[in-house]
Amino acid sequence: KGKRIAYVIPESIVDVFLSTALFKSLKAKYPSYNLYVVTQPQNFSILEGNEYVHKVIPFMLNLITLCFWRVWGSRSLCLK
């Protein structure tokens, strides 16, 4: 519900860790958006307790297709 940003980090635990530095800036730029991080379940612990992340979603290849479809369908913002 509401405006959403999906930040997709499919594989690297290092990329997940480094990306956390961006989340505060994303929230400052888009304060009314909820940030959803899409990554492998083994990376969830890095994001646990991050105040800027609304929800962590398990990465699935089909989810990426859905995300890009939603960009055109509902004007959601999906980042990769």
Side-chain angles (χ1 to χ4, degrees):
K1 204 169 192 182
K3 297 177 180 179
R4 295 162 287 217
I5 296 173
Y7 192 94
V8 181
I9 318 165
E11 298 285 333
S12 171
I13 195 166
V14 174
D15 289 346
V16 173
F17 178 75
L18 293 175
S19 293
T20 60
L22 302 173
F23 298 159
K24 182 177 181 180
S25 297
L26 276 172
K27 193 62 177 175
K29 178 96 174 155
Y30 303 100
S32 63
Y33 284 71
N34 288 321
L35 176 62
Y36 292 79
V37 179
V38 183
T39 190
Q40 297 291 336
Q42 62 265 26
N43 299 333
F44 283 18
S45 62
I46 294 172
L47 302 165
E48 202 171 282
N50 188 304
E51 64 184 296
Y52 305 107
V53 176
H54 181 73
K55 187 172 183 181
V56 183
I57 300 170
F59 175 80
M60 293 176 285
L61 194 54
N62 291 343
L63 183 63
I64 302 307
T65 304
L66 174 64
C67 182
F68 286 111
W69 176 81
R70 296 202 76 184
V71 169
W72 297 107
S74 67
R75 307 275 181 206
S76 295
L77 177 61
C78 296
L79 304 174
K80 181 173 183 192

